[in-house]
Amino acid sequence: MSNLEEIQETQQILREDSSNFQARRHLAILLLDGGFNEEALQQLLYLVKIFPTDAGLYYNLGIVYEKLKKLDLAESSYLKAIEISPEETDFHYNLGLVYIDKKEYDKAIEAFEKVLKTDVDDANSYFCLGLCFTKKGEDEAAISSFKKAIELNDCDVFAHFYLGNHYKIKDNIDLAVEEFKKVIKLCPDYSWAYFNLASIAYDRGDFEAAVLNLKKTIKLNPKDIEAYKIYSKILIKFEQLSEAQHLIQYAIKENQYEGDLYYILSQINKLQNNLSGHEKGLKAALKNYKTLSFSPKLIKKELDECKKEVL
């Protein structure tokens, strides 16, 4: 029986007996699982009026409010569930997730630490702690948390990825490479892992490895602007201007409002002595000034100089 069919069947039971609270509770969960959040909310609000000390109802209310992006109401629902049943680790865990969404990282850390007091081997809580410490800029605490998460669950792709990022920040490059390779082994389609390997290879001057990983990055994520930037730098360095031009033209097709791409294209045209292409690229870059990381003022100055040359 499909979710929708079960919903319809349960609704029929309630039409015949509206006081069947077990059926109403079941309907609320079915609606929640089916993505009918507003409908689930109405059922749960009705039930908590009748069963005001039922922690599970408040917990499910919290889930619904999270899905509806009503974070303050989700927080109060989870807190009420915890008040009624303080030993339930799921209540504390979900409360921690709400605090992450609210960017209240100290409160989130407190919630996840409460989970770990009861369940010392909860890998997800260690990962979430690592995320909180990352947001707070506490690298060592984040590294420790991610390593613990991996110790408990070596298949945690995101823990490996975040750990790799922290190693990269701390200039532990070999360890970072090791983590990004583990990410790819676990999830071969994870484009950001390829990009990080490409970035490291580029910084080390290993352009062959950089290009290999940049090609994989772009194939998996044609929206990765930074990948195009690094790849074009390599092509320009080796005077492969036609290839660089084709690359950036492809990038623009995939990201038509990215000012940086138009500016890079203008510079490639300049190197090819294509002044009209240079001018056109500068104009397009300024038109998309909101996405420029280059100085619009300097680009405007360059455009004025270009116009004089064209004349």
Side-chain angles (χ1 to χ4, degrees):
M1 184 183 297
S2 69
N3 177 271
L4 186 56
E5 288 172 334
E6 197 169 355
I7 288 172
Q8 291 171 341
E9 183 179 280
T10 309
Q11 286 174 329
Q12 180 59 40
I13 292 171
L14 285 170
R15 278 192 287 270
E16 295 170 3
D17 180 9
S18 62
S19 64
N20 188 331
F21 298 120
Q22 184 176 354
R24 192 175 295 278
R25 181 190 294 265
H26 182 57
L27 176 60
I29 301 303
L30 288 172
L31 291 168
L32 182 57
D33 292 342
F36 301 102
N37 299 317
E38 293 288 355
E39 293 82 354
L41 177 61
Q42 295 307 312
Q43 297 297 332
L44 289 166
L45 289 172
Y46 178 85
L47 286 166
V48 294
K49 290 179 181 178
I50 299 168
F51 304 102
T53 59
D54 189 317
L57 291 175
Y58 286 102
Y59 173 67
N60 285 314
L61 261 180
I63 293 173
V64 173
Y65 282 132
E66 269 193 274
K67 290 179 179 289
L68 294 172
K69 306 299 182 185
K70 297 180 179 180
L71 298 181
D72 288 340
L73 291 172
E75 177 188 357
S76 62
S77 297
Y78 289 136
L79 286 171
K80 183 64 177 179
I82 290 168
E83 179 187 328
I84 297 167
S85 185
E87 301 304 317
E88 286 290 339
T89 56
D90 285 348
F91 300 171
H92 292 283
Y93 181 82
N94 279 39
L95 178 63
L97 294 179
V98 169
Y99 285 137
I100 288 178
D101 285 341
K102 295 181 71 174
K103 300 181 180 180
E104 297 180 15
Y105 300 116
D106 288 330
K107 288 183 178 180
I109 289 168
E110 183 181 350
F112 295 123
E113 286 178 342
K114 285 180 180 177
V115 175
L116 291 168
K117 283 182 180 179
T118 302
D119 185 358
V120 295
D121 292 331
D122 188 83
N124 290 331
S125 288
Y126 279 110
F127 172 79
C128 290
L129 281 175
L131 190 61
C132 291
F133 289 127
T134 297
K135 297 295 185 181
K136 285 169 60 68
E138 298 180 18
D139 292 329
E140 292 301 331
I143 288 171
S144 177
S145 297
F146 289 130
K147 287 173 73 173
K148 185 64 178 178
I150 290 167
E151 179 186 322
L152 293 166
N153 177 17
D154 191 48
C155 293
D156 190 331
V157 172
F158 299 109
H160 283 293
F161 181 76
Y162 274 96
L163 182 58
N165 274 336
H166 279 285
Y167 282 144
K168 187 179 177 184
I169 291 169
K170 303 288 283 185
D171 286 327
N172 293 325
I173 303 302
D174 290 337
L175 290 177
V177 168
E178 185 179 333
E179 291 303 320
F180 293 134
K181 286 183 175 179
K182 286 179 181 177
V183 171
I184 291 169
K185 185 176 180 181
L186 291 167
C187 184
D189 293 339
Y190 204 105
S191 69
W192 288 354
Y194 289 109
F195 174 77
N196 276 282
L197 288 174
S199 177
I200 290 169
Y202 177 78
D203 290 341
R204 286 176 161 179
D206 187 351
F207 301 118
E208 184 178 350
V211 167
L212 179 65
N213 284 293
L214 286 167
K215 284 181 176 179
K216 290 178 179 177
T217 302
I218 291 168
K219 182 179 180 181
L220 292 166
N221 180 16
K223 301 294 184 183
D224 195 323
I225 306 301
E226 296 305 315
Y228 292 114
K229 287 182 181 180
I230 295 176
Y231 196 175
S232 65
K233 284 181 182 179
I234 294 171
L235 292 172
I236 292 168
K237 178 180 177 65
F238 290 98
E239 299 182 353
Q240 297 176 11
L241 299 181
S242 178
E243 291 86 346
Q245 183 180 43
H246 289 313
L247 173 72
I248 299 303
Q249 286 172 339
Y250 171 78
I252 288 170
K253 286 181 181 179
E254 297 291 334
N255 307 271
Q256 59 180 318
Y257 301 112
E258 288 293 333
D260 282 0
L261 295 175
Y262 291 105
Y263 182 69
I264 293 169
L265 184 60
S266 77
Q267 299 309 298
I268 294 170
N269 282 317
K270 182 179 181 181
L271 291 170
Q272 294 175 314
N273 295 315
N274 180 354
L275 294 182
S276 63
H278 180 210
E279 180 182 2
K280 184 178 178 182
L282 292 171
K283 287 180 178 178
L286 288 172
K287 184 178 179 181
N288 294 278
Y289 67 93
K290 290 182 179 180
T291 54
L292 277 173
S293 62
F294 303 98
S295 168
K297 186 180 292 186
L298 292 178
I299 294 175
K300 178 64 169 62
K301 182 180 179 182
E302 186 176 350
L303 178 59
D304 291 339
E305 292 172 355
C306 178
K307 287 179 178 178
K308 291 177 184 177
E309 290 185 38
V310 171
L311 294 173

